[in-house]
Amino acid sequence: MKALNGGFLLLIIALANFQSAHSQDQSGFISLDCGLVPKDTTYVERTTNITYVSDGAHIDSGVARRINVTLRTEFQQQLWNVRSFPNGQRNCYNFNLTKNRKYLIRVFFLYGNYDGLNQLPSFDVHIGRTKWTSVSLQEVGRSFFDEIIHVLTQDRLQICLVKTGETTPFISSLELRPLDSNVTYVSQSGSLMLVARIYFSPTPSFIRYDEDIHDRIWWPFINANTTSISTDLPVATSNSYDVPQLVAKTAMIPANPSQPLNIRWSLDEINAQSYIYLHFAEIQNLEANEIREFNIDFNGLPWFSFFRPSKVGITTVFTRAALSSPDGIFSLTFTMTGNSTLPPLINGLEIYKVLEI
């Protein structure tokens, strides 16, 4: 296998003990149910086993409300409450943390007609004084979340809800998850806003903790020109990225084995930069005369050649430098080499956009 331009760094699994390098606990997790009262309330969410606490220790403004009772059975418990902010332009959550520590930060919003107005809100979310994202909800009963990987530049963190119009900002849940600062998700500058984190399964279920020990959320994806394959065998996933077994055990291949596998995405800003993380594992038992080998092109240009996924072991390929595209449209193409008898595959894909904070 050969990297053609130095844009990829390759990690190959050597240990096949099928054990995670980390204990599967919630050490360092901060999981806030926003608007949960009284402020000393805590509970374990039954589908994830994540322990949630009230947000009251981190903010002294806002009003605790609850979504419409008819919607509660459709969502996890941490989305049943909201904290709304009818007063003030800017209302902030405050955390005392450790400088230079890396966190996955996630905010959830479910309007659920908590105020009885049937008026879908729009507002901004800031990290400190820097705008992170704009929230513009489209449906009363549909949840929305945003996620960013951020290295703290000081020993405290502020997450702020900022009023931008006539509607009232609110938040349903706020989650912080510590990550390894020196090894994973390293950018040359800025923080990494999640664009997509997908695995390739025909089932509609998303994956998060405790299947993913870092509580990353993975969404299933298959399109009309692809199909999914899977295995019951355990896959060695103990590289620094700890890909969940449910992600590693499924893969996407082209529906027509002789055709390339194509993945495209776009960013809302033409000049935006992107980091990508591709997770591969050979999950089929290959016969002696079978070879799976493919080339990877980025935006039509050769990037990686003669790649062979490791047998039931995850290899993570990722960009060491940010990627850009002149029109904001990005593409990856996986094409069989002349040696290959099997089509290309991919097990998981993460895409991020750079945000300077």
Side-chain angles (χ1 to χ4, degrees), residues 30-32 34 39 53-62 83 85 90-98 103 105 107 125-129 152 154-161 171 174-176:
I30 298 174
S31 307
L32 302 184
C34 301
K39 66 186 301 183
V53 300
S54 170
D55 62 341
H58 298 279
I59 195 165
D60 56 10
S61 62
R83 183 175 294 274
F85 302 98
R90 177 184 175 89
N91 291 268
C92 297
Y93 285 84
N94 292 279
F95 301 89
N96 294 317
L97 300 168
T98 303
Y103 280 90
I105 305 169
V107 284
V125 182
H126 289 196
I127 295 179
R129 290 288 174 181
L152 302 185
Q154 50 191 338
D155 58 5
R156 61 188 181 89
L157 172 69
Q158 270 197 337
I159 306 294
C160 303
L161 289 300
I171 186 170
L174 175 54
E175 301 170 345
L176 279 67

Side-chain angles (χ1 to χ4, degrees), residues 315-354:
T315 299
T316 298
V317 177
F318 59 92
T319 50
R320 292 180 291 183
L323 305 173
S324 59
S325 177
D327 58 2
I329 298 175
F330 298 76
S331 67
L332 289 168
T333 303
F334 308 84
T335 307
M336 293 172 59
T337 68
N339 302 319
S340 187
T341 62
L342 295 170
L345 61 68
I346 183 171
N347 304 69
L349 173 64
E350 301 178 71
I351 303 170
Y352 297 88
K353 182 176 77 170
V354 176

Side-chain angles (χ1 to χ4, degrees), residues 17-251:
N17 61 2
F18 310 113
Q19 298 295 319
S20 172
H22 305 274
S23 60
Q24 218 161 336
D25 59 34
Q26 298 176 44
S27 299
F29 281 23
I30 298 174
S31 307
L32 302 184
D33 183 329
C34 301
L36 180 65
V37 291
K39 66 186 301 183
D40 60 352
T41 305
T42 182
Y43 64 87
V44 175
E45 206 288 319
R46 64 180 180 83
T47 62
T48 61
N49 292 319
I50 296 174
T51 300
Y52 285 88
V53 300
S54 170
D55 62 341
H58 298 279
I59 195 165
D60 56 10
S61 62
V63 179
R65 306 291 293 270
R66 302 205 87 188
I67 66 168
N68 190 294
V69 65
T70 61
L71 293 173
R72 292 176 198 166
T73 57
E74 300 178 27
F75 296 94
Q76 294 177 340
Q77 187 175 346
Q78 73 273 17
L79 302 184
W80 295 358
N81 302 297
V82 308
R83 183 175 294 274
S84 69
F85 302 98
N87 300 313
Q89 189 75 19
R90 177 184 175 89
N91 291 268
C92 297
Y93 285 84
N94 292 279
F95 301 89
N96 294 317
L97 300 168
T98 303
K99 183 179 178 179
N100 296 324
R101 191 73 193 268
K102 181 180 294 180
Y103 280 90
L104 182 156
I105 305 169
R106 185 161 52 229
V107 284
F108 266 104
F109 307 93
L110 174 61
Y111 172 54
N113 199 26
Y114 74 85
D115 53 7
L117 299 177
N118 272 312
Q119 188 176 22
L120 294 170
S122 298
F123 50 90
D124 286 347
V125 182
H126 289 196
I127 295 179
R129 290 288 174 181
T130 303
K131 179 182 172 181
W132 165 12
T133 188
S134 292
V135 178
S136 183
L137 299 177
Q138 303 301 311
E139 296 180 27
V140 168
R142 183 177 180 182
S143 63
F144 168 85
F145 78 91
D146 251 320
E147 189 178 294
I148 192 167
I149 295 174
H150 176 63
V151 178
L152 302 185
T153 57
Q154 50 191 338
D155 58 5
R156 61 188 181 89
L157 172 69
Q158 270 197 337
I159 306 294
C160 303
L161 289 300
V162 180
K163 187 179 178 69
T164 57
E166 298 301 317
T167 56
T168 299
F170 78 97
I171 186 170
S172 302
S173 180
L174 175 54
E175 301 170 345
L176 279 67
R177 308 291 185 247
L179 298 172
D180 190 321
S181 297
N182 298 318
V183 178
T184 61
Y185 304 112
V186 176
S187 63
Q188 292 182 330
S189 69
S191 300
L192 300 180
M193 290 180 59
L194 180 66
V195 176
R197 185 185 297 114
I198 55 178
Y199 75 112
F200 304 102
S201 170
T203 63
S205 299
F206 66 85
I207 297 170
R208 61 176 303 183
Y209 189 86
D210 54 1
E211 285 88 357
D212 187 312
I213 62 173
H214 303 293
D215 195 26
R216 294 162 297 189
I217 296 178
W218 300 79
W219 291 93
F221 174 84
I222 288 290
N223 67 28
N225 297 316
T226 64
T227 189
S228 178
I229 60 174
S230 63
T231 183
D232 293 327
L233 297 172
V235 180
T237 60
S238 297
N239 71 0
S240 302
Y241 289 88
D242 296 309
V243 173
Q245 282 290 310
L246 292 177
V247 173
K249 288 183 174 184
T250 61

